[in-house]
Amino acid sequence: MKLFGTDGVRGKAGKFLTAEMAMKVAMAAGVYLKSQAVTNKILVGKDTRRSGYMIENAIVSGLTAVGYDVVQVGPMPTPAIAFITENMRCDAGIMISASHNSFEDNGIKLFDGHGNKFPADVEAEIESIYYDEERLLDAQLTGRKIGKAKRIDDVIGRYIIQLKNSFPVEMTLQGMRIVLDTANGAAYKVGPTVLEELGAEVIVLHNKPDGFNINEQCGALHTKELCENVVKYRADLGIALDGDADRVVIVDENGEVVDGDQLLGSLGAYLHEQSLLKGDGIVATVMSNAALEDYLQTKGLQLYRSDVGDKNVLELMKEKGINFGGEQSGHIIMHDFAKTGDGLVAALQVLSLIIMKKKKASEVLRAFELYPQMLVNVNVSTKKPLQDIAGLEELLASIETCDMRHLIRYSGTENKLRLLLECRDAKMMRIKMDELVGFFKKALNE
């Protein structure tokens, strides 16, 4: 069984991600890291899911069993764990979260000592250690060599300072009214605090986690209530985070969601104008709308496309010497301030753009029109290799003759097939999407 997907280990807590698995993953990671240990400390954080208690204790057991000392910081956003891991000079950081998934799921994300997500080859090495029972048994220590654990409750202050440092020092949010939806997740404290400290009037939604309500009809995936409250309170902006706050969705003053690609384009152009954009463009994924690419070209900028996943975005950013990129889903990486997608850092950059332009959100965040695009998820029981599905090649060829872009891939975290079509002819696109969905429902259920 493969452990790592596109964003760490993720699955149903207690069934796929059991306490035993969590302990063994921690042990395997500890064994891998021991050969290059500097401080012999590993940081562990989590979001607000009930299963986080079970998984956290299992991880602490696994790490201390192989001799690592553990620093537990409780509920914190994923980007905070990446930052604090480096700030506290830990050998690695572990975030317990299933991000935008419902409370039944949970996951394990691993960061190196510099706050970067482990690359695929390192995950593969940890996975091989996980399945080497003899090596895990030999790695378990006794007596004075067993590690220890301690809990620290004040690290939130370090992250708040980092967030405020990402916002122009000459600016303030004084006079701005913001509606913030924290998704009953990891940013339920830090999100309102940093916006209020910068001077904003903040109306907070869904900041009372109970272990089960994370992402439940709220946050970045469910913005209806946020949109309504932006209009109700006549706010300047709405901000929705997901469960671990590595993703952001922006709602303008009219209560309308800003598309993720429009957000990337607007921010990329703004950074370029301010001479803050490094490299000759930005990085997005194969999912991004072609209109983003065309818009950036008008600004003399290039769009580089990576595979899906903020880890892949970051790797391509490093390769091209670029400091800004993201996914249309809301993972936005400002590499000068964060090592991974950070919803709050991105939101603060949006606010600085609005203040600098002295215009409303709806005016500055929709610099171009999107081409018609459809994304449909098909539930699957097994992930049959796409190249083995008879007739698919011919169907895709017929789609391409209609001047239509397509992307077909399995989700790395869920049992779903993701179908994306993009074309200037919306009617033809819907016809072809119906063909695709029908084809796959038949092909994958035979």
Side-chain angles (χ1 to χ4, degrees):
M1 181 178 63
K2 183 172 173 57
L3 296 180
F4 289 92
T6 54
D7 196 12
V9 179
R10 189 181 299 185
K12 192 169 292 295
K15 187 174 183 180
F16 172 77
L17 183 50
T18 62
E20 180 185 13
M21 175 188 279
M23 183 177 68
K24 287 180 63 179
V25 168
M27 290 174 65
V31 170
Y32 170 81
L33 290 162
K34 269 293 183 177
S35 62
Q36 49 197 310
V38 177
T39 63
N40 205 56
K41 292 189 303 183
I42 292 181
L43 188 82
V44 176
K46 61 182 179 179
D47 65 22
T48 56
R49 296 163 210 268
R50 173 69 67 86
S51 59
Y53 292 104
M54 171 187 76
I55 295 168
E56 180 183 27
N57 286 324
I59 285 174
V60 171
S61 293
L63 291 174
T64 53
V66 298
Y68 255 107
D69 294 338
V70 182
V71 178
Q72 297 167 261
V73 296
M76 290 288 287
T78 289
I81 298 305
F83 165 71
I84 297 167
T85 293
E86 182 176 43
N87 186 260
M88 292 187 65
R89 308 301 192 270
C90 296
D91 289 335
I94 297 177
M95 177 65 181
I96 303 164
S97 175
S99 193
H100 59 275
N101 290 28
S102 61
F103 84 90
E104 295 94 345
D105 293 340
N106 217 325
I108 299 172
K109 303 181 183 185
L110 302 174
F111 298 90
D112 66 20
H114 298 291
N116 299 308
K117 289 182 179 179
F118 282 1
D121 60 331
V122 172
E123 290 180 341
E125 176 63 23
I126 291 172
E127 193 163 316
S128 69
I129 298 171
Y130 175 93
Y131 285 112
D132 190 337
E133 297 288 348
E134 186 174 343
R135 190 172 178 184
L136 289 182
L137 187 62
D138 290 343
Q140 295 179 50
L141 304 175
T142 60
R144 295 178 183 271
K145 294 180 179 179
I146 295 173
K148 62 181 183 294
K150 65 177 179 180
R151 187 172 295 276
I152 299 179
D153 296 319
D154 61 353
V155 295
I156 189 173
R158 301 187 187 210
Y159 182 51
I160 288 173
I161 291 171
Q162 173 69 2
L163 288 171
K164 290 165 74 173
N165 285 341
S166 74
F167 191 70
V169 68
E170 69 276 8
M171 288 186 182
T172 174
L173 297 181
Q174 197 73 36
M176 294 197 77
R177 179 178 294 169
I178 299 169
V179 182
L180 173 67
D181 185 342
T182 67
N184 293 313
Y188 76 101
K189 287 183 180 179
V190 68
T193 300
V194 72
L195 292 174
E196 288 170 354
E197 288 190 8
L198 288 170
E201 176 189 353
V202 186
I203 295 122
V204 189
L205 308 177
H206 304 292
N207 64 330
K208 295 179 173 57
D210 62 10
F212 308 113
N213 59 2
I214 187 170
N215 299 315
E216 184 180 17
Q217 296 303 309
C218 60
L221 265 66
H222 306 282
T223 56
K224 183 176 182 291
E225 189 175 344
L226 174 62
C227 293
E228 292 171 347
N229 276 272
V230 167
V231 175
K232 175 183 176 180
Y233 290 103
R234 298 178 182 177
D236 297 287
L237 198 72
I239 300 169
L241 304 171
D242 68 342
D244 67 338
D246 65 351
R247 177 188 297 204
V248 67
V249 169
I250 299 296
V251 173
D252 68 20
E253 78 284 356
N254 299 317
E256 297 180 0
V257 173
V258 178
D259 182 86
D261 282 332
Q262 291 179 320
L263 198 60
L264 286 169
S266 300
L267 282 174
Y270 167 63
L271 293 172
H272 181 58
E273 290 170 9
Q274 301 298 311
S275 300
L276 297 174
L277 188 66
K278 297 173 184 174
D280 60 350
I282 75 171
V283 176
T285 75
V286 290
M287 301 287 287
S288 278
N289 198 288
L292 170 60
E293 188 169 2
D294 292 345
Y295 170 72
L296 290 173
Q297 286 177 356
T298 67
K299 301 293 182 180
L301 300 172
Q302 193 166 346
L303 176 67
Y304 296 94
R305 292 181 183 268
S306 74
D307 289 335
V308 174
D310 63 339
K311 180 167 61 177
N312 296 317
V313 172
L314 184 56
E315 287 177 3
L316 188 55
M317 286 170 60
K318 290 178 180 178
E319 179 186 326
K320 300 296 182 181
I322 290 171
N323 65 337
F324 176 71
E327 299 184 274
Q328 66 176 173
S329 60
H331 289 117
I332 296 178
I333 304 173
M334 315 285 302
H335 200 234
D336 290 348
F337 305 109
K339 299 295 181 72
T340 186
D342 191 323
L344 287 168
V345 166
L348 289 173
Q349 296 306 309
V350 170
L351 288 163
S352 70
L353 164 59
I354 293 169
I355 294 169
M356 177 69 71
K357 296 290 185 180
K358 298 179 180 178
K359 294 181 178 179
K360 295 179 179 180
S362 60
E363 297 175 298
V364 297
L365 298 180
R366 291 191 177 87
F368 59 94
E369 292 295 324
L370 298 164
Y371 302 146
Q373 190 180 80
M374 285 185 73
L375 176 62
V376 174
N377 294 320
V378 178
N379 293 323
V380 297
S381 55
T382 58
K383 296 180 179 180
K384 185 177 181 180
L386 296 177
Q387 65 270 21
D388 294 343
I389 300 177
L392 177 58
E393 187 175 345
E394 292 77 9
L395 178 55
L396 294 182
S398 73
I399 288 173
E400 290 166 4
T401 61
C402 300
D403 194 25
M404 194 176 302
R405 191 170 75 92
H406 60 77
L407 179 66
I408 300 170
R409 67 180 185 89
Y410 289 109
S411 168
T413 57
E414 301 173 274
N415 285 330
K416 292 181 178 180
L417 179 69
R418 305 200 192 281
L419 310 176
L420 181 144
L421 292 181
E422 180 181 290
C423 179
R424 300 194 188 202
D425 185 340
K427 182 178 179 181
M428 179 58 69
M429 180 177 64
R430 286 192 292 271
I431 291 171
K432 290 298 182 182
M433 180 60 82
D434 288 342
E435 285 184 32
L436 264 180
V437 171
F439 173 84
F440 279 113
K441 283 185 175 179
K442 182 178 179 182
L444 296 176
N445 289 305
E446 290 180 340

